[in-house]
Amino acid sequence: MTQKLYIKTYGCQMNVYDTKRMTDVLAPLGFERTEDPADAHLVILNTCHIREKAAEKVYSDIGRIRLMKEKRLENNGDDMVIAVAGCVAQAEGAEIMRRQPVVDMVLGPQTYHRLPDMLEKVAEQKKERRTARVMDTDFPTESKFDHLPEEKVVEGPASFLSVQEGCDKFCTFCVVPYTRGAEFSRPVEQIEEEARRLVELGVVEVTLLGQNVNAYHGTSKAGNTVSLAELIARLDKIEGLERIRYTTSHPRDMQDDLIDAHGEIASLMPYLHLPIQSGSNAILEAMNRKHTTDRYYDIIERLRKARPDISLSSDFIVGFPGETDADFEDTMTLVDTVKYGSAYSFKYSPRPGTPASVMETQVDEAVKAERLARLQDLINQQQFDYNKAAVGQTMRVLLERPSRDVGFLAGRSPYMQAVHMDVRKMLDGKPEEEYTSLIGQFAEVKITGAGPNSLQGELV
Ligand code: 5AD
Ligand code: SF4
């Protein structure tokens, strides 16, 4: 019997990957995805704990889902199982269970291979009462990756592939070491097999994922420890896999072989997300980042030597405890100096259990807001300038998905810019609806226009 599954994904790309894998785990049980939670037998909220706002959203969503569940029961007596997964579940699982009686199941990011067992327990408990109380937020000794079924479907020609998880660096602002656990690298051959299967299913571009992806140090069957650069070189040999990206990196793990790979491996795309968080050495130290701005500048110089057209991106936090006006100006100067293709910036959000949250020098919300606005103005301006410089160039773009308008497709430039393309020419008089059959192909695209967040182009 098929049952409907609704999963909402919050936060980062790792969660997008996990959502896909939870879908794979549930498919053999007869679960099919739906976009409508009201229609679902099983609702999973795959949550993010990184900032307070993301975490709060989960609680309001649980409230909305509860009303849908009640309506379903009223309408036709159909039940709905409500599960909270991901990083909020990991961090606040017991509290969710206590505060939200409607939640049947809580599971962490490392236990979703056990979903079938958990669902059995839920069904068992539901024979006796309205909501179940099943919780599994272990960090199991077995790896979930050894227990996931083969993927049978892909969601497009570009796919995420998780290679590393967790973090041992303990930046003082960050919950990831607590929610995702200790650093772990998947074995090399397991990753190669997954990549080959994805290619068989039509994938031509993979983004290797890890919270600290460049700390990757997987073992191979031959017993060697393999670096991220070596892993990329091995994946580069897979026929049909045309493009490789990786995210998110830490400056401390930016080894020479990885920098060199950017100049040597053609399938490795000229884009790197390398967060520095702040341009002030004092703040970097208080954040426990364990590197200086000089070290970062040095890495960037060497990257640009290896791959002169590389596009750089970063994350920034403003208003970290103790951040003075001068510290903030240092961040503005750094952004001004590096010239990013894109960047993300956030107000510091104190997270329970992290060292920075109890520092006495918390910055006023109004000051944070003002700094964020100034930094975002600068970043937006840089991003727009970067996009404008692409106009007139011809780029090879992967046609990934339908764009907003009929006859248009969307994809990404080698530099990670979103590109919206007019593909009507390529149709040769075929009906317009057929334009989606082009998805999965690469096209030479002339960039004809630029906005702050995307490019427009025409096929040549
Ligand atoms: N407050 C604000 N931003 C944060 N990030 C991580 N933790 C916090 C926090 N407590 C940001 C960092 C990180 C990105 C994923 O989220 O910039 O790189
Ligand atoms: Fe959110 Fe970080 Fe967890 Fe990703 S790893 S889901 S960004 S808390």
Side-chain angles (χ1 to χ4, degrees), residues 51 53 316-319 345-349 365 368-369 372:
R51 284 170 292 273
K53 239 202 226 151
F316 293 95
I317 296 177
V318 300
S345 49
F346 314 98
K347 280 193 276 186
Y348 169 70
S349 168
E365 274 307 309
K368 284 188 205 170
L372 185 69

Side-chain angles (χ1 to χ4, degrees), residues 70-236:
E70 282 165 7
K71 206 164 212 169
R72 256 172 88 86
L73 280 168
E74 248 169 56
N75 285 352
N76 52 13
D78 272 353
D79 194 14
M80 178 192 279
V81 173
I82 301 180
V84 181
C87 293
V88 179
Q90 189 65 45
E92 300 176 6
E95 195 188 335
I96 293 170
M97 277 285 170
R98 203 171 51 242
R99 275 177 49 189
Q100 306 287 338
V102 74
V103 172
D104 297 294
M105 193 158 91
V106 161
L107 64 148
Q110 305 308 344
T111 54
Y112 57 76
H113 57 297
R114 297 175 177 169
L115 262 168
D117 287 345
M118 289 184 235
L119 281 171
E120 235 171 72
K121 279 193 199 137
V122 167
E124 199 56 37
Q125 292 188 11
K126 283 212 172 201
K127 285 183 194 151
E128 282 158 29
R129 53 186 144 153
R130 184 85 170 264
T131 44
R133 307 270 82 188
V134 174
M135 178 159 147
D136 189 349
T137 50
D138 281 0
F139 288 109
T141 47
E142 87 270 11
S143 158
K144 69 186 169 207
F145 295 112
D146 296 338
H147 298 271
L148 296 174
E150 280 187 15
E151 40 292 282
K152 295 276 183 330
V153 284
V154 291
E155 284 164 1
S159 178
F160 293 128
L161 202 178
S162 183
V163 303
Q164 181 280 341
E165 241 188 291
C167 180
D168 296 337
K169 293 208 168 52
F170 292 92
C171 297
T172 52
F173 53 81
C174 188
V175 289
V176 168
Y178 314 97
T179 56
R180 290 274 170 176
E183 207 178 289
F184 166 81
S185 296
R186 288 178 76 183
V188 180
E189 282 83 4
Q190 195 183 60
I191 295 167
E192 285 177 320
E193 269 164 41
E194 187 166 327
R196 269 190 227 105
R197 277 200 304 273
L198 290 172
V199 169
E200 274 166 28
L201 293 167
V203 166
V204 291
E205 170 176 322
V206 293
T207 301
L208 309 178
L209 293 183
Q211 269 96 26
N212 254 281
V213 73
N214 58 344
Y216 178 82
H217 58 282
T219 46
S220 70
K221 278 199 178 132
N224 308 321
T225 301
V226 171
S227 69
L228 182 64
E230 289 162 337
L231 176 68
I232 290 169
R234 287 177 66 151
L235 295 175
D236 174 65

Side-chain angles (χ1 to χ4, degrees), residues 318-319 323 325 347 363-373:
V318 300
E323 185 185 71
D325 284 339
K347 280 193 276 186
V363 174
D364 202 70
E365 274 307 309
V367 175
K368 284 188 205 170
E370 194 198 321
R371 288 179 187 167
L372 185 69

Side-chain angles (χ1 to χ4, degrees), residues 425-445:
K425 254 197 235 159
M426 228 166 135
L427 285 169
D428 277 344
K430 278 185 261 163
E432 282 226 328
E433 301 75 60
E434 275 186 39
Y435 74 105
T436 47
S437 67
L438 300 170
I439 287 175
Q441 296 183 25
F442 285 97
E444 293 298 322
V445 175

Side-chain angles (χ1 to χ4, degrees), residues 229-248:
E230 289 162 337
L231 176 68
I232 290 169
R234 287 177 66 151
L235 295 175
D236 174 65
K237 298 210 171 70
I238 295 178
E239 203 168 324
L241 185 56
E242 307 257 344
R243 288 188 166 179
I244 302 172
R245 303 179 187 274
Y246 61 93
T247 200
T248 287

Side-chain angles (χ1 to χ4, degrees), residues 10-15 47-51 86-87 109 174-176 179-180 211:
Y10 308 68
C12 66
Q13 291 146 327
M14 186 73 86
N15 269 9
T47 61
C48 173
H49 201 241
I50 198 91
R51 284 170 292 273
C87 293
C174 188
V175 289
V176 168
T179 56
R180 290 274 170 176
Q211 269 96 26

